[in-house]
Each structure stands twice: as C-alpha cells, then as structure tokens.
Amino acid sequence: MSIIQEEKVSINDIVKKLNEKNNRREAFCAYIYDLEQLRKHAASIKRSLPPFCRLFYAMKANPDKRIIKVLDEIVDGFEAASAGEVRIAKAISKKPIIFGAPAKKDYELELIVKGETELANIESFHDANRLQYLAESVQKKVAVVVRVNLQDNVSNSYLKMAGVPTQFGVAERDIPQLLKKLSLSPNLEVRGFHFHAMSNNLDAEAHVRFIAVCLEKAVDWQKKYGISAPVVNVGGGIGINYINSKAPFDWNVLSEGLHNLYKQYKSKKLELIIEMGRYMVAESGFYATEVIDVKVNHGEGFALVRGGSHHLRLPAAWKMNQPFIVLSNEKWDFPFERPIIKNSKVSIAGELCTPTDILAKDVLIKEIRAGDILIFQFAGAYGWTISHHNFLSHPYPEVYYYE
Ligand SMILES: Cc1ncc(COP(=O)(O)O)c(C=O)c1O
C-alpha cells in the first residue's frame, strides 16, 4: 500500500488561498468544483464520439447549477429522472431533455405529455397504460423508448441494473409482448430502446461489447416487429477507479470501439445516445475538510474530520475508501500539544455519532495532524446530493467554484 502524503495538486493552492482569505477559526469544510477541468474533460469526451452518438448528461450525478451551465455549452442534452431535474435543466438550458424514472408520478407523466421532454422511457406495462391514457385524454402523441432489462449483463460492474432481477425496465423476454401492446397504443410512438444496465464499470472492452449487444438487439427488434425505431440509448455506467486512480477506465478503447460500431451500423441510420453521469463530473469535484482530532483507540489510528458521510456518502455506502491527499496546515495557535500520527494506518472518520461514518479505512499515512486538511478526490459525482445532510444538524459544507 502506498503512503499518502502531500502532493502538488492545483486544488491545494485554492484551499490555502481560501483559508488565508477567510482567516477564521472554524474548521474548513467545502465542496470545490474545478469548472475548467470539467469543461475540458466534457469537450474531449464529446470530440471523441463518432457522428451517430448524442451525448446527454445524467443530472442525477450532480445537478449543481454551475455544473449544468458549463455542460450546457458542450452536451447534446440532459437526462432527467424527476420533475425537479426537469425544472433545473429548463431554467438553464434550451437543449433537449430525455426522461427516465422507474416510478413516475402523475405530475411527471403530465410533463412528458405536455412535451417538456423529447423522449421518455417506458419502464413497465403499467407505465405504458398510464402514459397512453394521459396522452389520449389530451389528444397528444408522445415519443417513447422501451427500457429493456437484458437477459445477460456483460460487465462485472459493482451495481447492475439489468441482467439480474431489478425494479428497472422490462425483462428482455417480455419485450415482444410490450412492443405488441405499444403498437396498439395510438398515442405512443416507439422511437427506440433504452438499455442502462450498470454502474461504475471499469472495463472499457466490456463496455464496447455491451453497446454492441444493445445495437444488435435493437436492430433485431426493429426488423422483427417492423418498427422504425432508430434510438438506441445505452445509458451511462462508465466508471471511476476509486481504488486505484492509476488504472482509470480506458476511454480511448471505448471511443475506438464506438467508431468501429459506427462503421458497422452506418447504413442503418441509428442514433446512439450515451447518458453519462459519473465519468463526466466525478473528477472535477473535491471534498475538502479539516481534521478536528487525531487519536489511537484500541491500537488503531483515527483522524476525525469536520464533515463525513452526511456530506459524502459514497464511501460508506459502497464500503470503499474515497481517495484523498493530506494537505499540511502549519498553522497551530494553541499552547497545548498538537495530536499527530506518523507512518501508520489511519481511518478517516466523520463527525457523526455512528461507527459507520468512515470515509477511508486503514490507510497508511506518512503524517496527519489536527488542523491538516484532507482533500477527497472524485467527489464531483454522487457526492453531496446522495448524502443524508441533516443527520445531527451540522452546518452544510461551503461550495466553491474554480474557473
Ligand atoms: C437511466 C440512467 N441513465 C444514466 C445514468 C448515469 O449513470 P452513470 O452515472 O453511471 O454514468 C443512470 C444512473 O443511475 C441511470 O439510472
């Protein structure tokens, strides 16, 4: 295991500057977003895609308005999973919104019927009945894609939404029956298929194979059921290597695979939608928090921070270590001893009254002291908004944007 120590990262300077500027005694705790990194990263993803791809941002990864604003310059549209996300997107962007949610409320179906969204997922037979009923009542025609829960899942990703029994989509074997039903639903127009199937997949070759399977199935259903349904939405699922950042998802392999698939399917005039969340925004976000106490308990080292899993829930939820660096803070104004642990394994715990409030466990650290600042990386996706903010009623972290 490598020793984590102070590294030179641009974000260090930001935190130092903020500390100096604010010159205050309360412990530092903030989300920091590097919007310049986000802009460059998203633009390079977009540039690397072949012509049949449309790139959508899955807002659930991070609906922060400044992030949406930056991405609005680059992506083809937004994927929303609630009326709230539709509202956020509409307030900032004029780009198309596609809607996908497994348990749609009536007010969400109404948004779809009103034409606020370009496409909506059908996730069940009941979903189809409800949308047809509502669309018919106002004599509107609604464009839909059928969300398929494939029989097999081609990846070993951490979370699987398809290829296993889940609440998502319609089982592959029931698709013919659903297509028949939709052909008898005059107010619904089937535009294609939706296949989002996994989360945090790190195997780019497996991802190419997955997309190839999606295209093959979609073309087969088109042919068999005589439908003109050019949209193939392969969802997101592209991963971030939280455990070993030196072995990231190989984007070039995916890009090359997509170009090859484009050549293969060029004559079919398909539209391949990628709705990406985690891979788009994870790297641009940092969660920076100050060490409040350092101690040894029953022989094990702990650093306790201002903040924790109520701000950044992912490591506790996935039982993994969120990677971080220690930013040394030389400021120590007190007349008493500064707690310190050197060259030892340390667990990073939060301020909550539960032993599960752990951001990283047993990490070998060169030196950590009360007053140092920890900067957690890859906190831009599924960070703040998936966390249980109000547990213990601590103040929220600040938010800074770096451009
Ligand atoms: C339907 C759908 N599309 C896209 C995404 C984005 O996935 P990711 O963040 O893994 O790219 C999700 C995430 O849960 C999803 O449910």
Side-chain angles (χ1 to χ4, degrees):
M1 199 188 295
S2 64
I3 292 186
I4 292 181
Q5 55 191 314
E6 314 83 70
E7 285 173 22
K8 272 237 164 299
V9 290
S10 63
I11 216 76
N12 287 4
D13 304 327
I14 305 168
V15 176
K16 270 188 182 149
K17 265 190 216 136
L18 290 170
N19 266 340
E20 282 159 18
K21 190 181 78 180
N22 295 332
N23 194 25
R24 55 199 167 170
R25 287 203 78 102
E26 80 260 27
F28 187 78
C29 183
Y31 266 94
I32 301 167
Y33 295 112
D34 184 344
L35 298 181
E36 200 44 48
Q37 185 280 344
L38 176 65
R39 187 173 284 115
K40 283 189 186 141
H41 180 59
S44 93
I45 291 171
K46 176 81 173 121
R47 267 197 312 274
S48 73
L49 296 173
F52 76 154
C53 282
R54 282 172 91 201
L55 180 64
F56 280 68
Y57 172 55
M59 293 174 67
K60 57 178 79 69
N62 194 329
D64 184 288
K65 293 185 175 109
R66 299 276 301 264
I67 286 179
I68 303 289
K69 217 168 182 168
V70 168
L71 291 177
D72 184 42
E73 300 161 14
I74 297 157
V75 298
D76 296 302
F78 295 92
E79 186 261 350
S82 69
E85 287 189 349
V86 172
R87 260 196 307 278
I88 295 171
K90 289 247 166 215
I92 296 166
S93 172
K94 293 199 166 27
K95 291 203 167 154
I97 297 170
I98 49 183
F99 191 89
K104 299 178 190 72
K105 274 66 67 190
D106 284 350
Y107 58 84
E108 289 167 334
L109 293 172
E110 277 159 20
L111 278 180
I112 295 167
V113 167
K114 270 191 201 150
E116 305 268 319
T117 58
E118 181 187 280
L119 271 178
N121 289 359
I122 292 287
E123 297 250 358
S124 72
F125 287 77
H126 185 51
D127 227 11
N129 278 337
R130 292 171 71 207
L131 199 53
Q132 163 59 30
Y133 177 77
L134 212 68
E136 190 179 355
S137 70
V138 289
Q139 288 169 12
K140 287 270 179 70
K141 190 134 184 159
V142 177
V144 296
V145 290
V146 172
R147 181 160 181 189
V148 183
N149 187 326
L150 285 172
Q151 189 60 31
D152 301 306
N153 192 312
V154 294
S155 90
N156 286 321
S157 58
Y158 178 73
L159 290 180
K160 292 187 171 85
M161 286 76 178
V164 286
T166 63
Q167 64 270 50
F168 303 110
V170 173
E172 186 176 342
R173 64 170 167 272
D174 297 328
I175 294 296
Q177 201 189 334
L178 180 60
L179 289 177
K180 193 164 166 210
K181 177 184 181 54
L182 290 169
S183 73
L184 302 172
S185 307
N187 297 77
L188 303 183
E189 182 193 341
V190 180
R191 287 269 178 84
F193 302 92
H194 183 286
F195 293 94
H196 178 71
M198 65 194 91
S199 192
N200 212 40
N201 177 34
L202 293 172
D203 182 345
E205 282 170 14
H207 216 84
V208 175
R209 282 200 299 280
F210 163 70
I211 295 173
V213 169
C214 298
L215 286 164
E216 201 182 301
K217 301 266 178 197
V219 168
D220 187 45
W221 284 319
Q222 263 188 338
K223 242 194 279 172
K224 265 198 193 131
Y225 301 102
I227 45 172
S228 153
V231 175
V232 182
N233 186 333
V234 294
I238 296 155
I240 289 291
N241 197 339
Y242 296 95
I243 310 303
N244 178 10
S245 58
K246 292 198 171 67
F249 181 94
D250 194 338
W251 181 265
N252 291 336
V253 167
L254 178 61
S255 167
E256 202 182 310
L258 287 171
H259 279 87
N260 289 337
L261 288 167
Y262 172 60
K263 278 185 217 142
Q264 193 181 330
Y265 284 95
K266 205 169 170 182
S267 63
K268 305 271 185 234
K269 306 249 177 306
L270 296 174
E271 178 183 305
L272 188 84
I273 293 182
I274 297 177
E275 44 186 36
M276 186 189 286
R278 187 186 312 275
Y279 190 77
M280 188 84 92
V281 289
E283 243 182 298
S284 61
F286 300 84
Y287 175 58
T289 181
E290 188 169 326
V291 178
I292 301 289
D293 201 351
V294 172
K295 64 184 173 191
V296 175
N297 213 335
H298 288 293
E300 292 193 10
F302 289 87
L304 292 86
V305 299
R306 150 74 182 110
S309 57
H310 53 319
H311 298 168
L312 181 65
R313 197 175 79 93
L314 198 67
W318 284 15
K319 306 269 181 291
M320 68 166 191
N321 289 354
Q322 188 87 19
F324 65 95
I325 57 162
V326 180
L327 179 65
S328 291
N329 178 9
E330 297 315 320
K331 199 161 176 276
W332 184 257
D333 298 335
F334 302 105
F336 44 84
E337 192 183 347
R338 187 173 186 182
I340 181 169
I341 293 182
K342 277 185 170 185
N343 299 318
S344 279
K345 281 187 181 170
V346 176
S347 293
I348 311 300
E351 62 195 343
L352 302 180
C353 304
T354 162
T356 60
D357 187 18
I358 297 289
L359 297 171
K361 193 163 171 51
D362 291 336
V363 181
L364 194 58
I365 294 183
K366 197 173 162 199
E367 180 178 284
I368 190 163
R369 302 167 298 181
D372 284 343
I373 288 177
L374 306 186
I375 300 180
F376 289 88
Q377 293 160 300
F378 304 126
Y382 305 110
W384 172 244
T385 52
I386 70 156
S387 307
H388 45 293
H389 311 144
N390 292 334
F391 186 37
L392 261 77
S393 304
H394 287 296
Y396 291 174
E398 295 170 87
V399 184
Y400 294 100
Y401 302 90
Y402 179 61
E403 289 215 59

